[in-house]
Amino acid sequence: MEGKIKMKKVNLKSLIKSILLMMVMLFGIISCNFLANKTIHVPNSVIQEKTSKKFPITRNFIVASVTLKNPKVDFKDEKMLIETDYSMNFLDENNKGKMYLSSGIRYDEAKEELYLVDLTVDKIVNDEGQETGNSKAENTLKTLITNYVEMSPIYKYGEEERKRKSKGKKSKVKVKNMYIKNGKFFVRT
């Protein structure tokens, strides 16, 4: 026998793909461990993007129908500020304009859901730009919005997590709390 050693031909593209895949997996593992027990500031642009995906919202009640659209979200002190366009049909009376709301937030760790709390309708402006008084329509709108919003979660982290798992995707980091402090939104893992 001749002293020839046969070498397997290595496919360079396959090798590069394997190395990249291993690096991505390693980064994923490191980032999950890295994000555990941390407090992360979430930029307003991310909150705005998540919020905009949920709108327009239309709710039909016994005596009224309310649609909210084009939300703008900001934070001040420990409050979330929301500006949204509204249209309401109340006993054949139609109203449109802008609504300005402010609210605190509460994260339910057991349910993995985020709620608005102590929601107030700060101002309602009609489509002509005039602040509206306390008409029956506006009072009804305030009551409907505050009662509905405080009873319903605005974000379901747990539901999003279950969807990821059902698609065979890796689990996200466990969220322990979400809160607003000094005009910034934070998530604690």
Side-chain angles (χ1 to χ4, degrees):
M1 283 185 136
E2 298 179 8
K4 286 188 178 180
I5 300 174
K6 290 188 177 184
M7 292 186 66
K8 255 187 179 177
K9 204 174 191 183
V10 177
N11 186 343
L12 188 59
K13 283 185 181 180
S14 175
L15 181 63
I16 291 174
K17 284 181 184 178
S18 296
I19 291 171
L20 287 176
L21 180 62
M22 300 267 283
M23 288 175 56
V24 168
M25 288 173 38
L26 182 62
F27 178 72
I29 292 167
I30 290 170
S31 68
C32 285
N33 290 334
F34 176 72
L35 292 176
N37 299 315
K38 302 288 181 194
T39 299
I40 303 159
H41 169 249
V42 181
N44 288 9
S45 59
V46 172
I47 301 298
Q48 181 64 52
E49 179 185 334
K50 290 273 187 192
T51 304
S52 295
K53 287 180 181 178
K54 301 258 183 202
F55 283 76
I57 298 172
T58 300
R59 295 290 178 250
N60 295 310
F61 302 96
I62 295 172
V63 295
S65 173
V66 178
T67 300
L68 303 176
K69 58 184 178 181
N70 302 324
K72 293 183 181 88
V73 178
D74 200 4
F75 300 96
K76 182 177 181 185
D77 300 323
E78 277 69 47
K79 293 281 189 178
M80 176 185 283
L81 307 175
I82 305 165
E83 174 188 327
T84 182
D85 295 339
Y86 79 91
S87 61
M88 181 177 79
N89 183 341
F90 175 70
L91 300 174
D92 293 332
E93 181 183 333
N94 294 317
N95 296 303
K96 289 182 179 181
K98 287 203 176 287
M99 185 182 314
Y100 299 86
L101 307 126
S102 59
S103 176
I105 61 171
R106 177 182 62 83
Y107 183 71
D108 185 328
E109 185 179 358
K111 293 181 180 178
E112 296 183 300
E113 296 175 340
L114 183 67
Y115 294 85
L116 296 180
V117 293
D118 300 326
L119 178 73
T120 59
V121 179
D122 299 326
K123 182 167 66 168
I124 299 176
V125 178
N126 64 21
D127 57 352
E128 296 167 358
Q130 299 170 340
E131 190 169 344
T132 59
N134 288 329
S135 70
K136 280 185 186 179
E138 275 73 24
N139 286 333
T140 301
L141 178 62
K142 288 178 183 179
T143 302
L144 292 173
I145 295 297
T146 55
N147 288 341
Y148 176 77
V149 169
E150 287 194 349
M151 299 295 286
S152 305
I154 60 167
Y155 180 64
K156 297 180 180 183
Y157 181 79
E159 184 177 287
E160 190 175 288
E161 179 65 15
R162 284 186 288 281
K163 285 179 186 176
R164 290 181 62 79
K165 284 182 182 178
S166 70
K167 292 180 180 178
K169 294 183 179 179
K170 188 176 177 184
S171 293
K172 287 187 174 182
V173 175
K174 173 81 172 144
V175 172
K176 295 176 184 168
N177 196 9
M178 294 182 189
Y179 61 94
I180 302 168
K181 186 175 180 181
N182 298 326
K184 295 180 180 177
F185 188 89
F186 294 94
V187 173
R188 188 169 54 86
T189 61

